[in-house]
Amino acid sequence: MEETRTVVNKQTKDMLLGSEVVAHAVKLCRPHVIAAYPITPQTHIVETLSNMVESGELSSEYIKVESEMSAIASCYGAVAVGSRSFTATSSQGLAFMHEMLHWFSGSRFPFVMVNANRALGAPWSIWTDQSDSMSQRDTGWIQFYCETAQEIMDTIIQAYWISEKMMLPAMVMIDGFILSHTMEGLYMPDQSLVDHFLPAYKAPYLLDVQNPLSFGAATTGDSFYNFKKMIAKTMKSISSTLSEGYSFFNEVFERQYSNCEGYRVHDAETVLLTSGAITGTVRVAVDKLRDMGMRVGVVKLRLFRPFPKEQLIEVIGDARDIIVLNRAVSYGAGGTLTQETRAAFYNMRGNVKIYDVIISIGGKEIYPETVVDIVLAKDKLSFEDSIWL
Amino acid sequence: MEAINQESVVYPGDTKEVPVSVTTTDVNYTGNWKFVKPVLEESIAPCKISCPLGINISSYFYKLSKQDIKGALAILRQENPLPSVLGRVCPNFCEKKCNRGDFDQSVSIGTIEQYLGDIGLSVPYSSPSKWGNKKVAVVGSGPGGIAAAYFLSRRGINVTIFEKEKSPGGLLRYGIPRHRLSADILDREIENIINSLNIELVCGQDFESKQISLLLKEYDYIFCSPGLGSSIITEDFAGNPKVLRGLELLNRISKGYIPKANYFVVIGGGNVAVDIARSLIRLNKKVEIVYRRTIKEMPAYPEEKKHLIDEGISVIEKRLISKSENIASNLDEKLHLIVKEAVNIGGKISEGMLAGAMDVDALIMAIGQKKSMELPSHERILIGGDYTLGDSSVAEAMASGKMAAFNIIKNLGINDDTKIINPSLVPNKTIIGYENLRLDYMKKSSAMIKKEVSVSERLKSFMPVYEKLDEDAIRKEIERCFNCGVCTGCDICWFFCPDNAITLKNDSSGVKVAVDMEHCKGCGLCSESCPRGIISMKEDI
């Protein structure tokens, strides 16, 4: 979107670090409770939020806890009494929360958490890849991946909207350092716009001593099965509900979103599939390849859970080769995104080759040239094996 | 295990997929899972054990913290007839064992006892109903005799006290000087007991041994607490008119006697020596103490030694007065004393080298006491106080009188359902040690210190050394008591119980919490968290 106006419909252009953008977005969503525990590279998020709370700019309960497990457990308690809540984490912290991730979705509690994508040790790493969030894909959370600062701002607002509408928790991913520690220009919406789009959270059930309830009590086979079946059912309707949401969002904020966004895919024979900030690098590579006369495009996956199967297949169109650029691996089965993509295409469209490329793990640098080379060498690549560069 | 099913879920709107249950978990008898169970019982605080009278200190402090003065006084009076006196003169055995001492500083228990006792001075005892027509004679109205008379008459026995002096009190009046215990306090405390308990007091009645035996005809039992009464005096100094006896001199000074001599030397290191020295400087005399060991080793109470030094009385350490060189029969002649080094070999003192001489007006012996009479032996004559204990403390003398009273009560066949006074006789009760307490909830603070009248001011007369107690400081000090072994209903166990199995109840047994055994899993959190250590985990068979 090319805007030269500094103000668009009550939105001010500004330039902030990705982590600061998260804090501002969260503030606009008016959370009641924020639990905070630091971890590189998300710490600025909770620090900025703490400054906002201290200055009075943001009136939330700010709970300093001693671990990520406590952070998310505190948030669980907060949501149980009807609060809109928030916390942020990354890699090791997200892993520490694992048990609670299941509790959240199993309880059908709406929630938004920002995860700054970072590799999981060992060996120790603070640099970005998607192994942390992708290895939590079975927990029943909605997952979004952001490419730009603007997307961070907008996705968090959308995440609260869909999470509270569908009663499932949502994770919003930002690339560690690449987004969290980089300044970018974006439009900051006015509070009135956000209030218009995102209503106050109304919980159907509350922890209330006057009306005692148990949440998530012991359940035998049949009940358990049914509750989980309903989660699966809900997940199925999220994609379409989000599309309605994006239309409404566009009305209010004048920015149109979708679950998968294509770039130069309309006549592409080869499509690169990616998510997160590397999309920018890949677009440069696509332009280079197009200049060389190749019909190449790139599809960016914004929504990862639920996996937007239909929309992805539609955007990819008639392309015959899909090169999936993975930044997370399920060891013993190949790139995570590749598996998801292959599963999506099964019995849906024949005649497509899906390549499994592990492009970067633990912050290994990605250059447009690398992407160009992969595409050029495509025919020599085996698509039965994972391709580690 | 109680599990939810679809039917029991509430269905507002379209949220029937939320796993919420409205049924109660009460039907889940988690109590069946336990193999240990919490047992709540109030236990004994170390202060009570160390007190010769076994006063339930932590209990009365608890009552005070709840502003229940009446309740506190009742608990105190259950074991101690003379709290105003003891609050002032007791060496506070309790404070040495106070668990708070391991935390920051011991609670100033004696000070609070004084505070409460003073309130009690104007609170009469309710007249006890007589039990049959039993009579007991008490010989001696010192602490031992008063205690015996008190416990006997509270049980409904007719008591007559025979006292040889003109007024009651024994050493409380005729030994301990007024600056330590004022006559006003002593009079009021004893009068309250004598009057409201209908005790017959006969003063000016001195008995010889065989006269005591005659009392047996009229009285069912006799309790004798005549004290020791006689100062020990060494052969060298016997018969010398300028050599005085400490105990006897204290007696005379208490009756208003002012000696004519001016320069006194006192031999001895106990409370009598210190008392006589401090009395004499208040009469504007010059006085020095000569002691065979060091000040540190003087057996007088530490508080008394501190005042002794503050009041400017010098103690000549490690010296013996070996003899006087003259008899000094007339008043103007000085008594010439030979001073020798006191050589300490393996604890045994012997005379060493010559260390000088002193010319004094009088020498006071305060090196110990001995019996001044022999009491008859009979199964219906019980004896207590210094006579049996050797020179001892007021509290211990009172405890012996109390013990004798309870023995008499038992022998008379009266059913005594009051709590046993000697805590060591109480079976199966734990003593709360410092390690049993959970003190995370307590803040450190320093103990209350009584304000002293300035030395220059107080030496002008026999006025009390301490000023009136500060009410604010009293309040704070009461709060410092941990109430070891007493349930104060602090709710900490209730707060931590994960099964919601603790409820709060108020009943006469004093324990404030009850455990719902059907739901208690035996996790032990209540036991671990109890600040006072009164919950223990026992095997649940």
Side-chain angles (χ1 to χ4, degrees):
Chain A
M1 233 178 291
E2 309 208 37
E3 291 292 352
T4 49
R5 290 174 288 157
T6 49
V7 176
V8 172
N9 184 22
K10 295 202 274 181
Q11 302 184 63
T12 325
K13 190 136 194 189
D14 204 340
M15 191 159 162
L16 293 172
L17 288 173
S19 52
E20 292 171 328
V21 174
V22 171
H24 282 271
V26 168
K27 182 185 88 161
L28 287 166
C29 294
R30 301 187 187 274
H32 300 94
V33 177
I34 297 168
Y37 188 78
I39 182 168
T40 305
Q42 67 87 353
T43 308
H44 289 152
I45 299 175
V46 293
E47 279 181 357
T48 309
L49 284 167
S50 85
N51 288 337
M52 290 173 173
V53 171
E54 210 213 349
S55 70
E57 203 183 321
L58 169 58
S59 61
S60 294
E61 277 298 324
Y62 191 91
I63 311 175
K64 298 184 293 285
V65 292
E66 85 296 353
S67 77
E68 286 90 350
M69 173 51 106
S70 292
I72 193 163
S74 310
C75 292
Y76 184 90
V79 175
V81 296
S83 309
R84 181 174 286 159
S85 189
F86 176 80
T87 194
T89 191
S90 175
S91 80
Q92 318 295 144
L94 184 64
F96 199 1
M97 293 178 174
H98 181 73
E99 173 176 347
M100 281 305 296
L101 298 180
H102 283 280
W103 268 100
F104 247 103
S105 61
S107 302
R108 302 303 299 270
F109 276 7
F111 182 60
V112 169
M113 174 159 71
V114 164
N115 180 67
N117 277 128
R118 166 185 148 180
L120 278 162
W124 194 244
S125 170
I126 55 168
W127 294 283
T128 191
D129 72 27
Q130 290 173 338
S131 53
D132 56 356
S133 56
M134 291 214 168
S135 58
Q136 302 290 3
R137 59 196 159 131
D138 292 344
T139 53
W141 282 56
I142 302 167
Q143 288 199 12
F144 289 101
Y145 287 80
C146 299
E147 185 200 342
T148 63
Q150 187 69 68
E151 268 188 38
I152 295 174
M153 167 62 70
D154 295 340
T155 308
I156 287 172
I157 299 166
Q158 291 161 7
Y160 273 112
W161 185 88
I162 190 76
S163 169
E164 288 169 11
K165 209 178 199 6
M166 309 305 280
M167 306 284 284
L168 279 175
M171 245 186 255
V172 175
M173 264 51 82
I174 70 175
D175 288 68
F177 289 109
I178 311 296
L179 284 181
S180 66
H181 285 61
T182 310
M183 289 185 104
E184 247 195 282
L186 76 155
Y187 286 99
M188 306 273 285
D190 188 64
Q191 182 72 64
S192 59
L193 296 183
V194 180
D195 290 343
H196 181 63
F197 178 78
L198 180 68
Y201 173 52
K202 278 213 178 67
Y205 298 105
L206 294 179
L207 272 185
D208 176 10
V209 293
Q210 303 302 328
N211 300 298
L213 296 172
S214 305
F215 284 81
T219 318
T220 52
D222 282 347
S223 275
F224 190 92
Y225 184 89
N226 283 318
F227 282 123
K228 293 300 182 183
K229 181 166 145 188
M230 286 195 259
I231 292 177
K233 187 160 156 242
T234 301
M235 274 288 191
K236 267 185 91 103
S237 59
I238 281 178
S239 215
S240 49
T241 312
L242 262 178
S243 297
E244 286 163 29
Y246 294 145
S247 299
F248 182 29
F249 191 88
N250 189 31
E251 273 173 43
V252 181
F253 296 91
E254 294 187 21
R255 282 185 291 279
Q256 180 64 56
Y257 282 88
S258 62
N259 291 328
C260 342
E261 291 172 2
Y263 177 70
R264 302 186 87 164
V265 291
H266 65 276
D267 66 343
E269 283 178 342
T270 305
V271 166
L272 293 148
L273 180 60
T274 178
S275 69
I278 70 162
T279 313
T281 308
V282 178
R283 285 203 198 95
V284 172
V286 161
D287 287 345
K288 281 201 164 84
L289 289 159
R290 282 275 177 182
D291 289 345
M292 289 181 215
M294 296 193 66
R295 286 166 36 198
V296 184
V298 56
V299 172
K300 175 183 83 176
L301 202 62
R302 268 193 74 242
L303 183 72
F304 177 67
R305 272 290 178 276
F307 197 78
K309 188 161 89 166
E310 291 86 7
Q311 288 155 349
L312 180 64
I313 291 169
E314 199 192 315
V315 166
I316 283 179
D318 298 322
R320 297 226 299 264
D321 294 319
I322 305 175
I323 301 177
V324 184
L325 299 177
N326 290 275
R327 285 192 294 140
V329 176
S330 184
Y331 295 93
T336 308
L337 194 51
T338 309
Q339 289 168 52
E340 298 276 337
T341 311
R342 285 176 179 169
F345 273 80
Y346 185 71
N347 267 350
M348 295 297 288
R349 236 201 75 190
N351 210 18
V352 62
K353 286 211 195 88
I354 301 175
Y355 293 86
D356 183 18
V357 175
I358 317 296
I359 194 161
S360 167
I361 301 278
K364 179 168 186 287
E365 213 44 87
I366 305 164
Y367 302 100
E369 296 74 50
T370 318
V371 180
V372 168
D373 288 346
I374 293 166
V375 177
L376 293 177
K378 175 186 55 133
D379 296 327
K380 301 195 207 81
L381 297 175
S382 149
F383 66 90
E384 279 150 7
D385 254 328
S386 303
I387 299 146
W388 289 76
L389 303 172
Chain B
M1 164 154 69
E2 176 74 5
I4 58 171
N5 45 50
Q6 296 297 94
E7 286 70 42
S8 58
V9 174
V10 177
Y11 299 143
D14 56 0
T15 51
K16 59 177 178 286
E17 58 258 37
V18 181
V20 167
S21 168
V22 298
T23 58
T24 175
T25 52
D26 222 31
V27 298
N28 196 358
Y29 294 115
T30 47
N32 292 329
W33 303 355
K34 65 176 173 291
F35 53 90
V36 287
K37 63 180 176 195
V39 174
L40 296 101
E41 59 178 7
E42 297 199 315
S43 320
I44 302 180
C47 50
K48 177 183 161 88
I49 287 284
S50 58
C51 174
L53 290 167
I55 300 170
N56 286 305
I57 297 168
S58 53
S59 296
Y60 87 73
F61 266 76
Y62 169 61
K63 293 285 184 188
L64 283 175
S65 71
K66 296 283 176 225
Q67 278 92 48
D68 179 7
I69 303 272
K70 204 159 153 246
L73 195 58
I75 292 173
L76 180 55
R77 284 176 162 185
Q78 176 142 358
E79 311 295 346
N80 177 7
L82 302 173
S84 286
V85 166
L86 280 175
R88 288 168 169 81
V89 306
C90 189
N92 304 315
F93 306 96
C94 49
E95 289 184 11
K96 289 163 189 55
K97 294 290 188 184
C98 173
N99 276 329
R100 186 115 200 183
D102 286 321
F103 183 67
D104 43 34
Q105 290 178 315
S106 294
V107 175
S108 301
I109 301 171
T111 308
I112 304 302
E113 182 182 42
Q114 175 188 328
Y115 162 76
L116 187 54
D118 287 358
I119 291 173
L121 291 174
S122 43
V123 180
Y125 290 86
S126 48
S127 219
S129 45
K130 291 289 168 191
W131 191 88
N133 223 358
K134 300 296 176 185
K135 290 164 73 180
V136 173
V138 172
V139 176
S141 69
I146 289 180
Y150 173 86
F151 286 101
L152 288 165
S153 58
R154 283 194 89 182
R155 235 47 205 110
I157 295 167
N158 299 303
V159 177
T160 305
I161 303 178
F162 293 99
E163 167 57 47
K164 76 168 187 240
E165 297 279 1
K166 281 211 201 106
S167 306
L171 283 184
L172 297 175
R173 186 183 306 276
Y174 299 106
I176 295 174
R178 297 285 70 82
H179 59 265
R180 286 178 64 197
L181 177 60
S182 72
D184 173 55
I185 296 288
L186 182 63
D187 287 339
R188 286 166 65 197
E189 190 144 65
I190 293 179
E191 267 156 35
N192 194 10
I193 293 172
I194 303 289
N195 294 337
S196 51
L197 294 177
N198 299 320
I199 296 170
E200 194 192 351
L201 173 65
V202 179
C203 288
Q205 178 70 267
D206 195 0
F207 282 123
E208 279 176 23
S209 187
K210 57 179 189 278
Q211 288 170 304
I212 293 174
S213 304
L214 289 174
L215 287 172
L216 285 168
K217 293 204 183 104
E218 210 192 319
Y219 293 92
D220 296 294
Y221 274 89
I222 304 173
F223 173 70
C224 297
S225 182
L228 291 167
S230 217
S231 287
I232 292 170
I233 191 160
T234 53
E235 226 186 278
D236 284 342
F237 297 108
N240 188 329
K242 287 213 161 200
V243 175
L244 309 171
R245 295 149 199 260
L247 204 59
E248 289 81 337
L249 189 55
L250 279 174
N251 187 310
R252 293 168 71 193
I253 289 175
S254 76
K255 289 166 179 164
Y257 169 68
I258 300 172
K260 291 195 188 63
N262 283 306
Y263 179 23
F264 295 82
V265 157
V266 179
I267 302 180
N271 287 318
V272 172
V274 173
D275 281 343
I276 195 72
R278 291 177 67 204
S279 297
L280 288 170
I281 53 158
R282 281 160 170 81
L283 296 172
N284 294 313
K285 308 297 180 186
K286 177 171 173 194
V287 57
E288 280 161 347
I289 293 180
V290 172
Y291 183 57
R292 58 188 177 154
R293 297 183 212 268
T294 62
I295 293 174
K296 230 168 161 211
E297 293 163 290
M298 283 171 70
Y301 296 152
E303 196 185 334
E304 303 308 316
K305 287 197 279 187
K306 175 192 172 294
H307 293 317
L308 179 79
I309 306 299
D310 288 347
E311 287 167 10
I313 298 162
S314 57
V315 177
I316 302 164
E317 293 173 292
K318 300 202 270 201
R319 291 288 180 269
L320 295 165
I321 307 285
S322 77
K323 59 179 179 187
S324 63
E325 289 256 292
N326 57 346
I327 299 296
S329 44
N330 72 48
L331 285 168
D332 302 317
E333 222 184 312
K334 291 272 196 245
L335 191 59
H336 187 75
L337 301 171
I338 303 298
V339 183
K340 294 249 175 89
E341 273 183 6
V343 178
N344 187 339
I345 300 174
K348 195 161 149 38
I349 308 281
S350 54
E351 279 189 11
M353 308 242 310
L354 183 66
M358 296 173 88
D359 286 304
V360 305
D361 290 332
L363 176 67
I364 303 175
M365 302 286 298
I367 58 171
Q369 306 168 37
K370 58 181 168 48
K371 289 181 192 165
S372 47
M373 69 184 298
E374 266 307 313
L375 288 170
S377 176
H378 193 278
E379 62 174 6
R380 284 191 292 128
I381 298 178
L382 281 74
I383 306 169
D386 279 359
Y387 187 94
T388 49
L389 300 168
D391 70 81
S392 176
S393 65
V394 171
E396 288 162 297
M398 287 169 71
S400 75
K402 182 180 184 183
M403 226 15 176
F406 275 83
N407 282 328
I408 293 171
I409 289 166
K410 194 171 67 168
N411 293 341
L412 287 174
I414 299 173
N415 229 348
D416 186 23
D417 58 357
T418 57
K419 298 214 178 5
I420 306 290
I421 47 143
N422 189 340
S424 61
L425 297 178
V426 178
N428 297 328
K429 284 246 181 198
T430 28
I431 300 173
I432 300 296
Y434 186 68
E435 65 283 356
N436 301 117
L437 303 173
R438 161 91 39 193
L439 298 173
D440 304 83
Y441 320 98
M442 311 297 182
K443 275 209 325 242
K444 294 210 183 201
S445 60
S446 30
M448 173 182 178
I449 299 175
K450 291 193 283 194
K451 281 229 253 330
E452 293 176 16
V453 175
S454 71
V455 170
S456 54
E457 188 60 34
R458 71 170 98 132
L459 291 184
K460 291 179 187 167
S461 74
F462 283 82
M463 73 176 81
V465 171
Y466 293 106
E467 292 187 10
K468 196 164 166 311
L469 299 175
D470 173 42
E471 293 274 333
D472 218 19
I474 295 269
R475 235 188 320 273
K476 286 205 186 91
E477 196 61 17
I478 289 168
E479 296 300 325
R480 288 186 73 244
C481 173
F482 288 149
N483 308 116
C484 306
V486 175
C487 177
T488 60
C490 69
D491 299 350
I492 285 170
C493 56
W494 167 85
F495 183 82
F496 281 107
C497 176
D499 284 303
N500 214 12
I502 289 185
T503 48
L504 308 167
K505 69 169 172 121
N506 242 321
D507 73 9
S508 55
S509 79
V511 175
K512 312 294 184 299
V513 296
V515 178
D516 165 12
M517 286 301 178
E518 285 187 324
H519 292 95
C520 163
K521 283 205 293 286
C523 71
L525 271 171
C526 53
S527 172
E528 272 300 305
S529 62
C530 174
R532 289 155 190 95
I534 64 162
I535 304 178
S536 49
M537 301 306 287
K538 299 260 178 341
E539 215 182 314
D540 182 41
I541 305 154

